[in-house]
Amino acid sequence: MSEIDRMLAANEEWLGEFPGPVPVAPARKVAVVACMDSRMPLFGLLGLAVGDAHVLRNAGGLVTEDTLRSLAVSQHLLGTRSVVLVHHTDCGLNKATEEQFRAAVEEATGVRPPWPAGAFTDLDGDVRESIRRIREAPYLVTEEIRGTVYDVATGRLREVA
Ligand SMILES: [Zn+2]
């Protein structure tokens, strides 16, 4: 049985917990931008329920052009107004360099990717940079934006000043 077969079977089990249909617009008018890290169960650690928030995830929780696209849809079509960023300790992008990433891709595929991985050295600085990008995006109507770092060793969320 593959991992995906296990997931499909798990969904059958989960139907017993399915809360039923809820509106498409997030009830708490919040969008979460977070890293894809497998150790961050965002709904649980943020106290979110089904239908409460949009959750945008990518490697590093970076604010890319596609993140801005999703936030614009979230805000203008579905009414969210707050954004919370969730980066974390022990991030894969905090441990690698752009050159290591490009070299690894090239070694495996023969091609160097044209885009950066988003590697960073300063965790809090990376959160602040993400906040700045969202604040400066001219087509967003964000009313509140806050940045956090999740500690994968303790489960605690720390706000970045
Ligand atoms: Zn990460």
Side-chain angles (χ1 to χ4, degrees), residues 35-37 39-40 58-61 87-94 120:
C35 185
M36 66 184 184
D37 192 277
R39 298 162 292 181
M40 293 202 293
N58 63 31
H87 293 206
H88 66 97
T89 59
D90 197 40
C91 186
L93 285 177
N94 198 187
F120 58 88

Side-chain angles (χ1 to χ4, degrees), residues 48-155:
L48 297 171
V50 172
D52 271 354
H54 283 144
V55 178
L56 285 51
R57 302 190 73 163
N58 63 31
L62 303 182
V63 177
T64 64
E65 281 300 303
D66 194 65
T67 307
L68 294 173
R69 178 189 68 86
S70 295
L71 286 174
V73 170
S74 176
Q75 295 187 349
H76 297 292
L77 297 184
L78 295 164
T80 68
R81 289 295 179 269
S82 301
V83 181
V84 61
L85 306 170
V86 186
H87 293 206
H88 66 97
T89 59
D90 197 40
C91 186
L93 285 177
N94 198 187
K95 299 172 164 197
T97 66
E98 292 295 338
E99 184 46 39
Q100 284 171 337
F101 170 70
R102 288 202 167 97
V105 174
E106 185 172 27
E107 189 181 319
T109 69
V111 186
R112 284 173 81 81
W115 20 259
F120 58 88
T121 52
D122 175 3
L123 183 54
D124 284 23
D126 199 57
V127 173
R128 289 191 198 96
E129 170 64 12
S130 295
I131 290 174
R132 187 189 64 76
R133 284 184 173 211
I134 289 172
R135 281 207 179 116
E136 291 183 359
Y139 33 78
L140 296 180
V141 289
T142 313
E143 291 172 3
E144 181 180 29
I145 177 162
R146 313 259 290 267
T148 65
V149 171
Y150 177 75
D151 187 331
V152 297
T154 67

